[in-house]
Amino acid sequence: RQAGALDTALARQLQDAQRLLREAMTPEMAAALQKLEGATQQLDGDRTRQSLADLAAQQQQMREALEKSAQMLKRAALEGAMQTLKDEATDLAGQQQRFADSVERAPTDAEKAQQLANRTRDLSKAIDALKERLAQERANTGAQGAERASDQSQRSQAALDQALKQARAAQQQDQSAAERQRAQAEAKQSADAAAQAMQQAAQSLEQARNGQVSEWKGELTDALDRSVQEMLQLAKEQDALAQQAQQNPGDPNLRSQQSALQQGVQTAQKRLEEEGKKSALVSPRTQQMMDQAQQRVEQATRESAQAQRGQQSQAMQEAANSLRQAAAQLTRDRERAASASSASGLPELMQQLQQLAQQQGQLNGQMQSLFPAGQSAQQRQESLDAAGRAQARELARSQREVARQLDEISDADPTGRAQEMAREARTLAQVLDQGVVDPATQARQERLFRRMLDAGRSLEQDQRDETQRRESRAARGTERFTPADGPARGKDAERYTVPTWEELRGLSADERRLVIEYFRRLNAERTP
């Protein structure tokens, strides 16, 4: 960094990697590192080797989590980019149409028109970049739609540039009224064509996203359907082997048949793991149940080698039951995948976390209102009467409901953070049930609230400083101007530069629209 050898893109990637590593540093891994450090300082060879083994296991889990998160985030980012650019194209088409409608009525505001042209040019570049990203990820359906949108946005850009030239020509003083009118009509025609092409680009982006999401979801649901059928078929075969083992435990074919069944379970599990890396719609609970089923099948295989009637048949029956349970969980994932609006499943997860964060914030406010400000912890406990304790128990029920919903969300959370937050919410509910209302409990509620907010925002922040601090900025780009409909009266009006696409891309679609509308109203022409 000091030598200036890092470009901005690489520096951002390194910051993202550092952030991912910090998020991946689980409490278990931190504890393993502390144990390793203590064992090293004490020069205990056995403890050091054990700590290194524990750390290696934690690192393997972290590596698997990062690999899974990386593939899932790629899909989520592509889905979000297609939606974001579609929203931007729709907004630009509306602004271009308003520009076209104003060309014949009033002289063109050169600065405002140039800003519109710059935004159109920036959007065309962003769509081209998206097309390349989709092609690299072999998302052919999305790439083809983005290519159509790219061609349409370029046509919009060319038509808008032509409209600007014609509008400037209409403002030349050496032209007759007829020539000026004809130039204005041509400018409006070109601007109308630009708006129409941009609207087509928005539709192409929407079709690209819908088509690509449908394709990804189809791949996922097909894989889940296949896994469900395989688990049910394997369970049926396992039942048959269990009955066969009960009747004839010494059958020499049992061991080979059980080994073949075990290989089938392993193949199905590996295929499901690959799908789980691409989508949060394959829940961690499903993968845990698949692991459990595989372990039961392995146990049945070991028992079949010993050929003991009771243990062999029982192990096979338990394996069959475990396979059916895995099939039932896969069916639930399949239903959730079919009803999801995305293929990655992460947007739905983030929305649920944001809603739960709002509920937690309301709980925190109710908790704060139990006591007047300025009281010490002892005074709060002493002043907590029967009504206050009843209210605390009511808050405990609400806190327990938040924990229950977090447990449901944890099925779709590959990071495990929702499950950790659910445990903390349940602990807080137990504390509130006991009528313990003190600063420590409030601080724990606030920490849980912030964790839920951070989890809900994590995918909406495409680029953020690694310190995670919000930063205010002073207004920039203010220039005085004279409105086109006449000289400014009194104090000259102020024009504020509309933020560029790069400055707004970290915001959600609704937030971008609000910002743009805010600047549009700031820059609106004022009637004297």
Side-chain angles (χ1 to χ4, degrees):
R1 186 183 298 114
Q2 292 175 357
L6 293 179
D7 60 19
T8 56
L10 181 56
R12 260 198 317 274
Q13 290 174 356
L14 291 175
Q15 290 176 359
D16 291 342
Q18 290 173 344
R19 177 176 55 80
L20 283 172
L21 289 173
R22 284 196 299 271
E23 292 179 355
M25 182 64 70
T26 62
E28 291 81 4
M29 183 178 291
L33 286 171
Q34 291 177 356
K35 287 171 58 179
L36 176 60
E37 183 179 0
T40 304
Q41 292 176 353
Q42 297 175 12
L43 300 179
D44 187 337
D46 293 336
R47 287 183 59 192
T48 300
R49 283 189 291 272
Q50 182 60 42
S51 298
L52 283 171
D54 293 343
L55 182 60
Q58 293 291 335
Q59 287 177 335
Q60 180 62 29
Q61 294 178 7
M62 181 187 73
R63 185 178 300 110
E64 293 174 357
L66 287 177
E67 289 175 355
K68 180 175 181 178
S69 297
Q71 293 192 39
M72 236 183 299
L73 288 173
K74 279 184 180 179
R75 283 198 171 181
L78 289 173
E79 290 175 356
M82 285 186 280
Q83 180 65 42
T84 297
L85 293 179
K86 176 259 180 184
D87 292 340
E88 177 71 5
T90 301
D91 182 71
L92 266 178
Q95 294 195 26
Q96 289 174 353
Q97 188 59 57
R98 287 192 292 272
F99 169 73
D101 294 340
S102 66
V103 166
E104 291 182 317
R105 295 196 305 265
T108 302
D109 184 339
E111 183 179 357
K112 187 174 181 179
Q114 188 60 49
Q115 290 174 359
L116 188 60
N118 292 338
R119 285 186 60 194
T120 303
R121 190 172 295 106
D122 292 341
L123 179 62
S124 296
K125 293 179 181 178
I127 294 176
D128 284 338
L130 174 63
K131 179 183 66 176
E132 297 298 327
R133 289 170 58 193
L134 288 166
Q136 290 175 1
E137 296 299 323
R138 298 181 179 178
N140 296 328
T141 301
Q144 292 172 2
E147 185 173 6
R148 290 193 302 270
S150 176
D151 294 339
Q152 290 157 349
S153 66
Q154 290 175 7
R155 289 205 307 270
S156 175
Q157 177 183 338
L160 186 61
D161 290 340
Q162 182 66 23
L164 291 179
K165 293 179 181 178
Q166 293 165 342
R168 294 191 187 101
Q171 294 178 350
Q172 294 179 3
Q173 300 298 327
D174 57 350
Q175 288 186 336
S176 64
E179 292 174 337
R180 186 178 297 110
Q181 187 175 6
R182 183 173 60 254
Q184 287 177 337
E186 292 174 349
K188 184 182 187 315
Q189 184 178 2
S190 298
D192 284 335
Q196 183 179 3
M198 186 55 70
Q199 187 61 43
Q200 292 173 352
Q203 294 172 357
S204 295
L205 286 168
E206 183 176 17
Q207 293 171 0
R209 184 188 184 279
N210 293 340
Q212 190 59 61
V213 168
S214 297
E215 181 178 322
W216 282 336
K217 283 178 58 178
E219 294 173 358
L220 176 60
T221 53
D222 288 346
L224 290 173
D225 286 338
R226 181 178 178 182
S227 296
V228 169
Q229 294 299 324
E230 286 179 343
M231 291 299 102
L232 292 176
Q233 180 62 32
L234 289 169
K236 183 177 180 180
E237 294 176 4
Q238 189 68 84
D239 280 331
L241 288 176
Q243 185 176 3
Q244 185 178 349
Q246 182 68 26
Q247 296 173 354
N248 185 11
D251 189 344
N253 295 324
L254 275 177
R255 184 175 181 179
S256 60
Q257 292 174 353
Q258 183 65 36
S259 297
L261 189 146
Q262 180 182 348
Q263 292 178 0
V265 174
Q266 291 174 347
T267 301
Q269 185 185 30
K270 289 180 180 178
R271 187 188 311 113
L272 190 64
E273 286 179 354
E274 290 301 317
E275 292 298 325
K277 292 178 180 179
K278 304 172 186 176
S279 175
L281 297 172
V282 180
S283 66
R285 183 173 299 178
T286 296
Q287 295 176 354
Q288 292 173 2
M289 297 186 74
M290 287 290 294
D291 290 339
Q292 183 179 359
Q294 182 180 358
Q295 292 171 5
R296 294 288 175 84
V297 172
E298 289 176 354
Q299 179 64 27
T301 304
R302 289 192 295 268
E303 295 293 342
S304 66
Q306 300 176 4
Q308 296 183 4
R309 180 189 296 267
Q311 296 180 358
Q312 184 180 10
S313 177
Q314 182 180 359
M316 289 181 176
Q317 190 61 53
E318 290 177 352
N321 293 335
S322 186
L323 287 168
R324 280 189 287 268
Q325 292 173 359
Q329 183 62 36
L330 281 166
T331 302
R332 286 190 284 271
D333 283 356
R334 205 284 187 198
E335 292 174 354
R336 192 169 73 248
S339 60
S341 60
S342 68
S344 64
L346 291 182
E348 291 86 356
L349 173 62
M350 295 303 107
Q351 183 179 7
Q352 290 175 310
L353 284 172
Q354 289 172 350
Q355 293 173 353
L356 284 178
Q358 293 177 358
Q359 294 183 27
Q360 185 65 45
Q362 294 172 358
L363 279 176
N364 293 359
Q366 295 173 17
M367 176 80 166
Q368 190 71 27
S369 66
L370 280 178
F371 301 100
Q375 288 185 339
S376 64
Q378 182 177 0
Q379 290 173 334
R380 291 185 174 193
Q381 287 300 120
E382 291 175 353
S383 62
L384 193 64
D385 54 11
R389 294 182 187 279
Q391 188 175 354
R393 286 192 292 272
E394 184 65 27
L395 290 179
R397 284 192 289 271
S398 299
Q399 188 69 76
R400 197 170 286 109
E401 176 62 19
V402 171
R404 184 191 66 78
Q405 294 184 53
L406 283 169
D407 271 331
E408 293 180 357
I409 290 176
S410 65
D411 280 349
D413 180 14
T415 67
R417 285 183 295 179
Q419 190 173 10
E420 294 176 3
M421 291 186 291
R423 284 196 294 266
E424 177 65 10
R426 281 194 297 270
T427 302
L428 284 169
Q430 294 173 0
V431 172
L432 290 172
D433 260 336
Q434 299 171 2
V436 178
V437 182
D438 54 18
T441 304
Q442 291 180 346
R444 290 179 66 178
Q445 281 189 319
E446 288 298 326
R447 283 196 298 271
L448 176 61
F449 175 62
R450 288 194 295 270
R451 289 176 63 189
M452 293 169 71
L453 281 179
D454 290 340
R457 283 195 300 256
S458 60
L459 285 185
E460 294 185 355
Q461 300 170 352
D462 187 36
Q463 296 177 2
R464 177 177 289 276
D465 185 81
E466 62 177 344
T467 62
Q468 298 294 311
R469 295 176 181 172
R470 294 171 176 80
E471 181 179 344
S472 62
R473 297 182 180 178
R476 298 177 299 170
T478 58
E479 297 179 2
R480 297 186 182 277
F481 82 109
T482 300
D485 57 351
R489 299 186 180 182
K491 184 178 178 180
D492 287 343
E494 297 282 340
R495 175 168 295 283
Y496 298 89
T497 303
V498 177
T500 64
W501 163 248
E502 290 297 327
E503 293 171 330
L504 293 176
R505 69 191 301 261
L507 302 178
S508 67
D510 290 338
E511 290 170 338
R512 283 196 305 275
R513 281 193 287 268
L514 286 174
V515 171
I516 293 172
E517 177 65 16
Y518 172 73
F519 276 88
R520 188 186 68 80
R521 294 187 179 185
L522 281 180
N523 296 327
E525 297 179 355
R526 304 175 183 176
T527 57

